[in-house]
Amino acid sequence: MDRVTESLMAGFSKENGIEDLDESKRFEHFTAFSVIRRHYSRSFSTDDVVLGGGGDTGIDAIAIILNNVLVTDVDRVREIAEHNDYLEPVFIFVQSERSPSFDGSKIGNFGFGIVDFFSKQPKLPRGADISSLAEITDTILGDFAHILKPPRCYVYYVTTGQWTGDEHLVGRRDGVVEDIQALSIFERAEMTCVGASELHAIYRKTKAPISRQFLFDRRAEIPATDGVIQSAIGYLPFTEFKKLLTDDSGSEMLTSIFEDNIRDWQGYKAVNSEIRDTLLSENRTKFILMNNGITIITRGLTRVGDVFTITDYQIVNGCQSSNVLFEQRDAIDDRVQVPLRLIHTEDDGVKELITMATNRQTDIKPDQFASSKEFARGLEMYFGTFPDEQRLYYERRDGQHDRGPEPKLRVIDTPTILRSYASIFREVPHAATRSYRSIRDEIGDTIFANGDKQLAYYYAAYSWFALETLFRGKAIDPSFKSARYHLLLTAHLLIDTAPAPHRNSKAIEQRSQAVLNVLWDWTRAEEIFKRAAAVMMEVTGGNLDRDHVRTERLPNRS
């Protein structure tokens, strides 16, 4: 392996806490993160995509992305399907070889493994990971086939050599693509052979903030105001606006640019269907008059004449319109003009004021939104008050720690905190993943709201971190990951058997601290979680199948 690859992989391994893995496995995690990140701009753990054990059918990593969400279980598929009238799957397959050369036979074997993955009667033996992912795939392509947009498939074969376009290897690569296309599943299948220099460039790009350049010549400058560096209002032809929505390939949505939006994409319901109908009719030229427009807030802006370059930006209003425009991108042209308000500020207070004001028409109460934002800011600072050995980093904005030196295992995002908190203090581990949307809809009201005790959320996050650390060190068998949130509650009940106190009471702080004192002692934490695992084995009868685990109720307190 060349020195540059070794250096980049060493930094990645340290950040993600996988230094104890052997080199081949670390390379699998490193390459999987690098190439999947090209298509998925949100944060994710490579543990969720890199396959473990045998029976991997010659594939090192698989990512299944559904409606811009990385799905790891059937329940998540069903939840997404329940709230959308279409499903858009993307399948990504990765094979990583440390070899300094490309091997035609290995390319062929990789392709055979992918084709076999989609087979109803597979010829290759399957391990637990492949079986679980195949179940997800069968659910998407079977149960919900009637609402599918044609799936896309991206295949990456990575080595530490140099791809020179050798005629024989090109033929093997193209043969794999033909075999995948012959399945008649995919709208498009692509295979990319990645050498060392390409891998270095792909990985380095994951460390850079999103930046896009576009022509904004139809605008009016807005006078300067406190907290705003510069701003403008105008409109863009669709081809220029599309540059702001898509990834480097131009085929995938940049989902991370909507993280500060109040609402996720809602699918084609009511207003969104009307927007689509307008874009597909002769009235498309009137879109600029009929639409409220897009508001973009950017932390970085440079301009040369009418050419603007924005960096680290968010679409804070216009998520629904943006998604409809992206979905209809192949059917519309520059007769569609998009109203745009562009604001350059580094002041989070100004950013949130604008976000709330421009989203008055949503069904989320402004006071609820403001409360959740204020609580999140405070929680981020609170996490930073703990000493290094107890430090966690709350990822308030998606990807904000991607480019920092923080150990990535200690970076905890909002969904993880909410699921862990709900599992422990609401005692609903069976619903923490399956019904995440119902938890999220209460943000700012009954959860993540002003008055809630920050220590309880830190404790929930630390409990998750402790368990994840034990999984990675194999102190707790990774097969228990399907029962992750049950284990959090069980471990809690093994220490604290009393009913959960009110979420803003002094008691919840005192009792959270008491449990933390146990978990901060790694010897005791390991003992507690091992006992919790034993309880789960007893309750489930040893059946840790995801569907079975999530229907189980834990034994009463004793």
Side-chain angles (χ1 to χ4, degrees), residues 64-79:
I64 303 175
I65 301 167
L66 189 62
N67 293 33
N68 298 315
V69 175
L70 179 68
V71 293
T72 57
D73 59 70
V74 170
D75 288 339
R76 194 72 173 105
V77 173
R78 290 172 178 151
E79 180 185 358

Side-chain angles (χ1 to χ4, degrees), residues 178-389:
E178 290 173 5
D179 290 343
I180 295 173
Q181 292 281 33
L183 295 170
S184 299
I185 294 173
F186 300 104
E187 173 190 48
R188 182 173 73 255
E190 297 177 6
M191 182 172 186
T192 305
C193 294
V194 178
S197 58
E198 293 89 357
L199 179 60
H200 303 161
I202 292 170
Y203 178 68
R204 286 185 174 121
K205 189 163 285 190
T206 69
K207 293 295 185 180
I210 294 172
S211 180
R212 291 292 182 270
Q213 188 177 90
F214 62 101
L215 179 66
F216 194 16
D217 57 345
R218 302 164 188 179
R219 71 184 189 280
E221 308 292 335
I222 299 175
T225 184
D226 290 344
V228 176
I229 301 170
Q230 56 184 315
S231 57
I233 187 168
Y235 58 95
L236 298 178
F238 175 67
T239 52
E240 291 299 310
F241 180 66
K242 186 170 68 170
K243 295 175 182 177
L244 307 179
L245 296 181
T246 55
D247 65 4
D248 292 336
S249 71
S251 61
E252 308 291 344
M253 174 75 88
L254 278 172
T255 53
S256 62
I257 64 174
F258 299 104
E259 288 303 319
D260 284 344
N261 213 276
I262 289 181
R263 288 195 304 175
D264 286 340
W265 165 235
Q266 300 293 299
Y268 287 113
K269 300 175 181 177
V271 174
N272 291 342
S273 294
E274 294 176 10
I275 296 174
R276 176 182 57 188
D277 293 343
T278 297
L279 291 171
L280 298 180
S281 74
E282 289 305 313
N283 286 327
R284 70 183 65 179
T285 58
K286 299 181 180 67
F287 178 82
I288 188 173
L289 304 175
M290 302 168 68
N291 190 269
N292 289 331
I294 311 297
T295 301
I296 296 179
I297 297 182
T298 181
R299 289 181 176 272
L301 187 155
T302 58
R303 50 186 286 194
V304 178
D306 294 328
V307 177
F308 283 58
T309 301
I310 57 176
T311 303
D312 195 9
Y313 62 94
Q314 286 280 302
I315 292 179
V316 300
N317 181 249
C319 175
Q320 307 306 311
S321 296
S322 296
N323 274 272
V324 177
L325 286 161
F326 176 79
E327 290 297 321
Q328 305 306 320
R329 63 193 180 279
D330 294 331
I332 58 180
D333 53 30
D334 281 350
R335 286 179 291 172
V336 174
Q337 303 285 331
V338 183
L340 176 68
R341 183 187 293 110
L342 179 63
I343 301 162
H344 177 199
T345 181
E346 297 175 355
D347 188 323
D348 283 343
V350 171
K351 183 177 182 180
E352 288 165 13
L353 180 68
I354 294 169
T355 301
M356 185 169 66
T358 56
N359 281 275
R360 291 283 182 181
Q361 74 276 19
T362 69
D363 57 6
I364 295 180
K365 299 174 184 177
D367 57 341
Q368 184 179 340
F369 172 69
S371 173
S372 68
K373 287 293 185 182
E374 184 178 344
F375 183 79
R377 283 199 305 270
L379 193 63
E380 182 180 24
M381 291 187 289
Y382 184 77
F383 272 38
T385 63
F386 290 84
D388 288 348
E389 64 272 15

